[in-house]
Amino acid sequence: MQVWKFGGTSVGKPERMHSIRNLITEDGQRKIVVLSALSGTTNALISIGESLKANNDSEAIEKIDSLYAHYQAFIKDLYKTQEGYNNGQAIVDKEFSFIRSLVNIKPFTIKQDKEIVAEGELLSTQMFEAYLREEGVSSTLLPALDFMLIDADNEPVLSFTEEKLSAMLSQLSDTQIFITQGFICRNPRGEVDNLKRGGSDYTASLIGGAIRAEEIQIWTDIDGMHNNDPRIVKRTFPVRELTFEEAAELAYFGAKILHPSTITPAKMRGVPVRLKNTMEPNAYGTLIAHKTTESEIKAIAAKDGITAIYIHSTRMLNAYGFLTKVFEIFEKYKTPVDMITTSEVSVAVTIDNPEHLADISAALSQIADLEEHDRNQSIICIVGDFKADKAGVALKVIEAMKDIPIRMIAYGASEHNISLLVDTKDKNAALNALNEGLFKFE
C-alpha cells in the first residue's frame, strides 16, 4: 500500500479534484490519500477565529457566510449527479452548522480555535470521498481524529497510530482507496488539535511509517525539490534524488515544498518519499531514500527570520562548563539553536524564534557580555555530499560568495550541510551567486 498526500492547491478547485480522482485510481493499487484543506480555507477559518476572539460576532458571521458561499459554488461543479450534489450539500451544511455554533461560545478559547481550523480538512475529505463514491470508486473515509494523537510535548504518538490504523485497515480489506485528513489530531485530553501549519506532509509520513508503506508520495504544484528557490533564482532544476538526511536539512532550512518534520517517521521505518507534481504527473519528481546517487552539491535553501546572539567571556579561557551554562538557558526557554560558532572567548549562536529573546538575553548577561543582537538575518544551507576526505568544497562556496558579506559559517558538524549566515537584504544576491558558482549550466 502507498500513501499519497495532496496539498491545498491540488484540491483547491473542482477540476483539480477530478484530476486527483484519475491519478489515484489509474494504477489500481490500494492507497491511503491524505488531503489538506482547500486552498485559502485555513486562512479564512483563522480569520473567523480572530473575529470571534475579539467578540466581533457580526464580522465573524459575515466571514462565515462568505466562506459558505464559496463551498456552495464549489460543490455545484464538483458533483455530476443530483444525488452527489445533495450529499455534498449535506456535508457542507453539517460542518458550517458547527462553525456557526462557535459564535455562541463565550469566551472563544484556544480549544474552539483549534476546532474551527480543523474544519478545513474535515470539509475537503468528506466532499472528496463523497465524489469518489459518486464515481463508483471503492473508497472509505478514515477519520484522522480516530488514529492521530499527540503527547503532552506535542509530539505524535506513532505507536498509537500503528495500533489504530492496523485495526481499521484489517476490517476494510476490500477497499481500494482510503481518504483521511492531514494536519489534524487529538491531544492527550481528547480535544481536537493539530500538527501545526504544513502538517499534512507530516501526517502522510506518520501514516506511511505506521503501515510500513511501499512509498509515500507528496503531491504539490511543482516538479519536486529544486536545487534552489525558483521564486528568487531564475535557473533552477529539480533534484532527482536525495538522502533522508539531505532532505531533512533542506526542509528545516527553508525548502517550502516539504514540511520540516516530514522526513523523520519515513526515515525511521525506511519508507521512501517521492515528491510529485499534480500538473505534470509523469515527471520523475524527487525521490528521498536511504541511499541515492552521489553528487557533491545537490541543493540550496534559505531560512529567514533569524537572530544572531554574540556571547563574550574572558572566563571561557581554559574553562569547562561555560557552554553547558549557555545552552541550559536556551533549554530553559525551549528555544532551539540553529547555528553555533566558537572561539576561545566567544560564542555566536542563531535562533529562529525570538519569543523569549529578552529573557534569554537577561540570563546570558549574568554569565557573559553580549553584543547587540543581529536581527533580520538569513541562514543559507548548501546541501550535498561533504565527507571529510573531500577537498575543495568549502573553497567553491567561499569563492561563489566573494562579493557578499558572511556573518557566520558552520561546516563540519554534518557530512551534508554547509550553513552561512547573511543579512536578509543580501539573501537574494547570495542565492543567485551560489547558484551560478556551484552548479554547471549549459
Side-chain angles (χ1 to χ4, degrees):
M1 186 180 289
Q2 295 187 348
V3 177
W4 289 20
K5 176 262 177 178
F6 293 90
T9 55
S10 296
V11 295
K13 296 180 179 180
E15 58 267 28
R16 291 197 173 179
M17 281 197 175
H18 297 160
S19 297
I20 290 173
R21 180 262 181 196
N22 295 331
L23 276 176
I24 64 176
T25 57
E26 65 182 357
D27 61 6
Q29 291 187 350
R30 300 181 79 210
K31 53 182 66 73
I32 298 177
V33 178
V34 180
L35 299 185
S36 297
L38 272 59
S39 55
T41 294
T42 299
N43 286 337
L45 292 168
I46 289 172
S47 180
I48 293 167
E50 288 171 348
S51 297
L52 292 174
K53 279 182 280 189
N55 291 316
N56 193 336
D57 292 355
S58 59
E59 182 181 79
I61 291 170
E62 185 177 325
K63 291 176 180 178
I64 293 170
D65 289 342
S66 175
L67 188 61
Y68 178 72
H70 173 72
Y71 274 82
Q72 282 192 306
F74 193 99
I75 60 174
K76 285 180 181 178
D77 292 330
L78 177 61
Y79 301 103
K80 301 176 181 178
T81 65
Q82 186 63 45
E83 182 182 0
Y85 173 78
N86 291 342
N87 288 336
Q89 185 68 63
I91 291 166
V92 171
D93 286 344
K94 178 188 69 172
E95 298 304 331
F96 272 88
S97 175
F98 174 77
I99 293 171
R100 294 181 195 281
S101 73
L102 296 177
V103 176
N104 301 317
I105 296 179
K106 306 295 180 185
F108 188 85
T109 67
I110 191 170
K111 177 179 180 292
Q112 285 76 46
D113 204 24
K114 290 180 177 179
E115 287 175 343
I116 196 171
V117 171
E119 285 298 310
E121 279 71 19
L122 294 173
L123 278 161
S124 65
T125 50
Q126 291 180 84
M127 288 162 51
F128 184 65
E129 200 274 327
Y131 165 64
L132 292 181
R133 281 189 281 109
E134 181 190 49
E135 291 289 295
V137 176
S138 171
S139 62
T140 298
L141 188 70
L142 296 177
L145 297 178
D146 289 350
F147 62 83
M148 293 297 300
L149 177 70
I150 55 174
D151 61 21
D153 295 320
N154 296 318
E155 292 296 326
V157 184
L158 187 56
S159 59
F160 180 88
T161 300
E162 289 176 329
E163 178 186 347
K164 295 296 183 181
L165 264 182
S166 176
M168 295 167 98
L169 294 174
S170 66
Q171 297 176 5
L172 298 164
S173 57
D174 294 332
T175 300
Q176 180 192 359
I177 303 294
F178 298 95
I179 307 299
T180 193
Q181 299 87 19
F183 179 60
I184 67 175
C185 61
R186 291 196 185 275
N187 60 32
R189 298 181 297 278
E191 299 166 344
V192 175
D193 215 311
N194 58 64
L195 301 173
K196 313 304 178 193
R197 296 297 294 269
S200 292
D201 290 352
Y202 201 10
T203 300
S205 185
L206 288 162
I207 291 172
I211 68 169
R212 271 70 167 181
E214 174 192 354
E215 187 172 275
I216 299 163
Q217 295 190 3
I218 308 293
W219 290 77
T220 65
D221 53 0
I222 62 173
D223 48 346
M225 182 91 74
H226 276 231
N227 72 304
N228 210 324
D229 191 335
R231 299 166 302 175
I232 296 170
V233 178
K234 289 184 179 179
R235 297 202 292 178
T236 68
F237 55 86
V239 182
R240 287 180 66 87
E241 295 183 355
L242 292 167
T243 65
F244 285 118
E245 292 79 9
E246 290 166 344
E249 297 274 14
L250 288 168
Y252 182 77
F253 285 106
K256 301 299 184 184
I257 191 174
L258 201 61
H259 188 268
S261 301
T262 298
I263 296 302
T264 303
K267 180 184 177 183
M268 285 171 56
R269 298 292 190 258
V271 180
V273 177
R274 192 182 297 272
L275 309 179
K276 297 279 288 179
N277 185 355
T278 52
M279 308 302 174
E280 296 183 33
N282 294 324
Y284 183 84
T286 299
L287 178 65
I288 303 166
H290 277 303
K291 293 183 179 181
T292 70
T293 54
E294 288 193 8
S295 179
E296 187 174 75
I297 297 174
K298 290 189 176 178
I300 301 166
K303 185 178 184 181
D304 296 331
I306 303 297
T307 300
I309 303 172
Y310 301 98
I311 307 160
H312 304 286
S313 176
T314 55
R315 288 172 289 176
M316 283 182 67
L317 189 64
N318 295 324
Y320 59 85
F322 182 79
L323 285 178
T324 300
K325 294 177 182 178
V326 168
F327 284 101
E328 281 176 347
I329 292 169
F330 288 97
E331 180 183 10
K332 177 181 178 182
Y333 292 102
K334 296 183 178 180
T335 302
V337 169
D338 288 321
M339 290 177 66
I340 174 171
T341 61
T342 67
S343 69
E344 186 62 37
V345 294
S346 301
V347 180
V349 301
T350 67
I351 61 174
D352 64 1
N353 181 1
E355 180 182 359
H356 300 293
L357 183 58
D359 293 326
I360 290 170
S361 299
L364 289 172
S365 296
Q366 300 299 311
I367 61 172
D369 298 322
L370 300 184
E371 284 187 22
E372 184 177 350
H373 306 320
D374 277 342
R375 301 173 188 263
N376 299 317
Q377 304 293 294
S378 296
I379 293 175
I380 296 177
C381 167
I382 301 104
V383 162
D385 181 14
F386 307 141
K387 291 184 173 64
D389 59 354
K390 288 199 171 185
V393 177
L395 179 62
K396 292 179 183 178
V397 172
I398 299 302
E399 177 64 24
M401 292 285 289
K402 64 181 183 296
D403 297 323
I404 298 166
I406 302 174
R407 304 296 184 93
M408 288 173 60
I409 301 174
Y411 178 37
S414 165
E415 292 184 345
H416 307 286
N417 177 12
I418 300 173
S419 291
L420 311 174
L421 183 72
V422 301
D423 194 297
T424 298
K425 65 180 174 58
D426 297 321
K427 181 191 76 171
N428 289 6
L431 289 177
N432 278 281
L434 287 166
N435 203 62
E436 294 301 316
L438 300 181
F439 299 103
K440 295 179 180 179
F441 296 93
E442 296 181 359

